[in-house]
Amino acid sequence: MERAQRKLDHINIALKTGQQRKSGFEDVSFVHQSLPGISLDNVDITAEIGGLTLSSPIFINAMTGGGGLETEKINRELAIAARETGMAMAVGSQMGAIKDPSQEASYKVVRQENPNGILIGNLGGEATVEQAKRASDMIEADAFQIHINAIQELTMPEGDRDFAGILSRIEEINKNLGVPLIIKEVGFGMSKETVEQLHSVGVSIIDVGGFGGTNFARIENERRSKILGYFNEWGIPTAASIVEAVNVSPALSVVGSGGIQNPLEIAKSLALGASGIGIAGHFLKVHKESGLEQLIREINYIHDDFKIIMTALGAINISELRKAKVVISGDTYHWLTQRGIDCTSYAK
Ligand code: FNR
């Protein structure tokens, strides 16, 4: 019951604490080109993420399940929105259902509502291969996420304190699961060192889960009496984290996520080298405040405006958009320069 209550707390406190808008995208500017040379009607947003072909690079990132009927209803409606807009969708951590099978319905509902959609399962770094297989089978997953979230766990009053062995468990799951594996952060970002470690054990899809949007240190601090305030500002902003990750190896597929809310931030993330985009907190807020129909309208608006931005940039498809020129300035420039990454390659 404690776990199920935590799932409801996360939703309510995430909505209360909101999105920080500190992901660094204001430091990234497109270089305007006056002769785009393409027609909006021909813009194609089909995306490839680590062997998965998606009709949109944008997907609904992991949020919920395991909190009884309330989370079942949210997952049902997110799955309907995904189905109606052709988007992929991840469920929240399925450990709740691994430990308590009565919670399975709150996850299985996504496959019932979206039998032909691309669905992504989710567990934490403590998961075994056997648990990952059960969770993947539970929703007939097309891909699977393992979240790594040390700062959230350390801030969570009842969280894990032992992070030994995660990399070798990830290696085993990656070898044995049978569907593409995505390793994701949850809003603290990933450094190039972390991405190198993951790449060295065979991981090929990274979701940077950058800082600046939903903040799980703030969420967990709301749930504890002695506040660990120093973690509230801890993390690598999303724009910098995408660049850190994509510079590790061209063989990696990088998902940009963490505070992404609008089509311009999506386009900037792809121009920085991401192949896909995960959005969590913004979709949850639209759904909670305005309902399913408005969420579908919001996703359609994002897709329409994203294509308009691609047209302005002369990018007929996602691989052209990933070559669009950007200038990186401000804190993101300073961060990346000190980290030994040459920002000028994005501008030339
Ligand atoms: C999350 N997130 C998350 N991630 C994960 O891998 N497993 C999970 O169970 C959850 N649960 C969860 C609940 C709620 C209410 C929210 C808002 C988010 C994290 C999410 O997938 C994402 O990484 C972060 O929220 C950062 O992205 P946004 O929200 O800034 O777009």
Side-chain angles (χ1 to χ4, degrees):
M1 202 55 218
E2 187 191 89
R3 187 186 293 269
Q5 184 55 48
R6 182 167 77 230
K7 299 299 160 187
L8 301 175
D9 287 353
H10 283 164
I11 293 167
N12 293 327
I13 305 173
L15 289 164
K16 187 175 123 192
T17 52
Q19 296 258 312
Q20 292 202 294
R21 312 301 289 142
K22 287 185 180 172
S23 302
F25 291 110
E26 68 285 357
D27 293 335
V28 180
S29 304
F30 282 111
V31 179
H32 168 62
Q33 308 291 353
S34 304
L35 294 167
I38 62 167
S39 159
L40 174 63
D41 286 344
N42 296 331
V43 170
D44 175 10
I45 63 167
T46 307
E48 298 277 337
I49 308 178
L52 290 171
T53 302
L54 307 174
S55 59
S56 162
I58 310 156
F59 68 92
I60 302 173
N61 219 344
M63 281 185 277
T64 203
L69 285 177
E70 199 171 320
T71 56
E72 183 175 331
K73 177 170 187 279
I74 295 172
N75 269 344
R76 178 191 307 281
E77 300 205 343
L78 293 176
I80 294 171
R83 181 189 71 209
E84 294 302 309
T85 57
M87 249 186 201
M89 169 188 169
V91 295
S93 174
Q94 294 169 263
M95 196 52 91
I98 298 287
K99 302 265 182 197
D100 173 5
S102 74
Q103 295 288 348
E104 284 186 8
S106 65
Y107 301 96
K108 285 184 166 168
V109 66
V110 300
R111 183 52 83 194
Q112 286 153 11
E113 290 296 344
N114 195 1
N116 304 315
I118 302 278
L119 295 176
I120 307 170
N122 185 292
L123 282 175
E126 76 282 13
T128 63
V129 174
E130 199 267 329
Q131 288 172 332
K133 281 188 171 160
R134 276 171 58 199
S136 178
D137 290 347
M138 195 185 300
I139 61 163
E140 299 164 59
D142 302 280
F144 202 82
Q145 294 175 327
I146 295 287
H147 62 264
I148 48 177
N149 63 339
I151 301 298
Q152 180 188 3
E153 294 292 341
L154 289 169
T155 316
M156 190 189 298
E158 70 279 34
D160 286 344
R161 300 290 180 262
D162 176 4
F163 305 100
I166 292 182
L167 193 61
S168 54
R169 283 195 294 278
I170 286 174
E171 182 173 17
E172 283 307 302
I173 292 173
N174 194 42
K175 274 189 197 142
N176 295 299
L177 190 60
V179 295
L181 188 70
I182 304 165
I183 308 302
K184 76 182 284 281
E185 252 288 357
V186 302
F188 301 94
M190 276 197 222
S191 67
K192 63 179 175 183
E193 292 82 4
T194 301
V195 177
E196 275 161 6
Q197 283 178 289
L198 292 167
H199 186 48
S200 76
V201 299
V203 170
S204 61
I205 316 176
I206 299 289
D207 176 340
V208 299
F211 178 83
T214 301
N215 183 328
F216 267 95
R218 289 180 67 195
I219 292 171
E220 299 299 349
N221 269 325
E222 292 272 329
R223 300 179 62 245
R224 59 158 46 238
S225 46
K226 182 181 170 296
I227 306 295
L228 309 186
Y230 40 84
F231 281 147
N232 286 350
E233 295 297 320
W234 188 291
I236 306 173
T238 302
S241 190
I242 292 171
V243 177
E244 292 226 1
V246 299
N247 271 274
V248 169
S249 165
L252 286 168
S253 290
V254 172
V255 173
S257 78
I260 296 177
Q261 290 194 7
N262 63 49
L264 185 60
E265 291 165 347
I266 291 165
K268 287 179 178 178
S269 300
L270 294 165
L272 291 176
S275 311
I277 302 295
I279 299 181
H282 176 60
F283 287 157
L284 181 71
K285 180 167 187 281
V286 172
H287 176 257
K288 181 75 179 178
E289 289 180 354
S290 311
L292 172 61
E293 293 308 317
Q294 187 57 34
L295 177 61
I296 293 171
R297 273 196 288 276
E298 171 71 6
I299 296 172
N300 287 335
Y301 145 74
I302 287 176
H303 277 151
D304 290 348
D305 279 27
F306 177 52
K307 287 183 191 167
I308 290 175
I309 292 169
M310 286 178 67
T311 308
L313 293 166
I316 195 90
N317 55 35
I318 300 295
S319 70
E320 290 300 311
L321 175 58
R322 293 176 76 236
K323 294 182 209 151
K325 299 295 166 224
V326 291
V327 171
I328 301 173
S329 62
D331 289 347
T332 307
Y333 171 79
H334 288 296
W335 176 286
L336 293 171
T337 304
Q338 289 190 41
R339 295 281 290 152
I341 295 171
D342 176 18
C343 293
T344 60
S345 62
Y346 282 97
K348 288 194 222 158

